[in-house]
Amino acid sequence: MEFLGQTLSLSLIKPLWQTIRNFMGQASGDPKVLQGDLIDEDIRRAKDGINPGFLVWVNFDAMKLAYFFSDYDMAEEYSVTAHEIYDYAYGGTDSAYALFYECMVLLAQARRGKRRWRHVAYVRRRLKRLKYWAMHSPENYLGKQYLLEAELAVVKGNHQSALSRYRSSILHSREAGSDMQEALANERLGKYFLVDRNVDKSAGPFLQEAYRLYESWG
């Protein structure tokens, strides 16, 4: 891509590859912080006005890293430009991932009591778009829809709906062959039992399955 001068492709690929290196334990420092020799110079150039769009993708991947490492305050800071991907970019899966993780971050904050109903209202509006995508491509988006609906149900105190949606997300993610998404759905259900319901016995199998799937994913 560098040889061909594909600046736009590199804007997506470099932050993603650094993110994967962080997930694999190859971070140059704190694994939840998106930094390293692969992207540091590009970030500096973007801040100087050279390819400023690069920062949108950096923020997107930084948001994901912070979310997976449970630093929701940091994740929310990086989430502010996520809409620039799904409002103005036309790569379907990239748009869906940006919307999905932005909403997951905001719901995590809502569960902590931070701008609770403001975040809930925002997510409900975004969820309509994800449902539209899922209607046309359920194998790609339905698992994400169900997981967002599960997290939303927890915030609203609708526990029966939450359980149903978590389990549906796990099943649809498995059918789609998405180890990472299935792992996340298991993790969130396990943490729901552990934190929200205080039922350690029920949490264990889902957290163990999440661990197995994350390890399988690499």
Side-chain angles (χ1 to χ4, degrees):
M1 291 297 101
E2 287 180 343
F3 175 77
L4 295 172
Q6 296 296 315
T7 304
L8 179 59
S9 294
L10 287 170
S11 294
L12 281 68
I13 292 169
K14 281 189 173 183
L16 175 60
W17 182 230
Q18 183 64 58
T19 300
I20 292 170
R21 288 168 65 176
N22 281 37
F23 277 135
M24 294 175 69
Q26 300 173 12
S28 58
D30 187 339
K32 71 182 178 184
V33 178
L34 190 65
Q35 60 185 11
D37 56 2
L38 188 65
I39 61 171
D40 286 348
E41 177 61 20
D42 291 280
I43 291 175
R44 184 193 65 77
R45 288 164 56 87
K47 289 180 177 178
D48 287 342
I50 302 172
N51 189 22
F54 182 72
L55 292 178
V56 173
W57 296 98
V58 167
N59 287 348
F60 167 49
D61 286 301
M63 172 182 68
K64 286 192 298 182
L65 272 178
Y67 174 78
F68 272 96
F69 285 102
S70 302
D71 190 331
Y72 303 126
D73 288 334
M74 179 186 291
E76 186 177 5
E77 289 179 16
Y78 285 119
S79 74
V80 295
T81 58
H83 71 94
E84 295 188 33
I85 296 175
Y86 60 77
D87 279 343
Y88 305 112
Y90 296 96
T93 53
D94 290 325
S95 296
Y97 273 107
L99 185 149
F100 171 73
Y101 282 110
E102 177 197 35
C103 290
M104 290 293 285
V105 167
L106 298 183
L107 288 175
Q109 290 288 65
R111 288 172 73 167
R112 301 170 69 206
K114 298 200 171 185
R115 293 175 291 280
R116 182 185 181 94
W117 298 116
R118 175 183 169 190
H119 286 339
V120 165
Y122 184 93
V123 169
R124 290 179 69 178
R125 291 196 300 273
R126 296 298 182 265
L127 189 56
K128 291 179 181 178
R129 189 179 306 192
L130 187 58
K131 285 181 177 180
Y132 178 78
W133 293 335
M135 181 175 63
H136 290 281
S137 184
E139 64 276 14
N140 286 324
Y141 306 126
L142 194 55
K144 295 178 179 63
Q145 175 192 320
Y146 282 138
L147 187 48
L148 276 183
E149 288 176 341
E151 296 281 286
L152 187 59
V154 173
V155 175
K156 296 168 68 176
N158 191 337
H159 299 292
Q160 184 175 357
S161 177
L163 280 173
S164 172
R165 294 299 194 274
Y166 277 128
R167 294 180 187 277
S168 294
S169 179
I170 290 170
L171 291 174
H172 281 278
S173 300
R174 184 180 304 157
E175 289 176 2
S178 177
D179 282 358
M180 188 179 186
Q181 188 172 290
E182 186 184 350
L184 179 58
N186 274 280
E187 178 187 351
R188 297 310 304 173
L189 178 51
K191 288 182 175 179
Y192 164 74
F193 279 125
L194 194 65
V195 177
D196 297 276
R197 306 299 287 168
N198 197 27
V199 186
D200 294 9
K201 186 177 180 180
S202 297
F206 294 104
L207 294 175
Q208 289 171 354
E209 180 66 0
Y211 184 92
R212 184 191 70 80
L213 286 162
Y214 281 132
E215 190 171 45
S216 171
W217 179 66

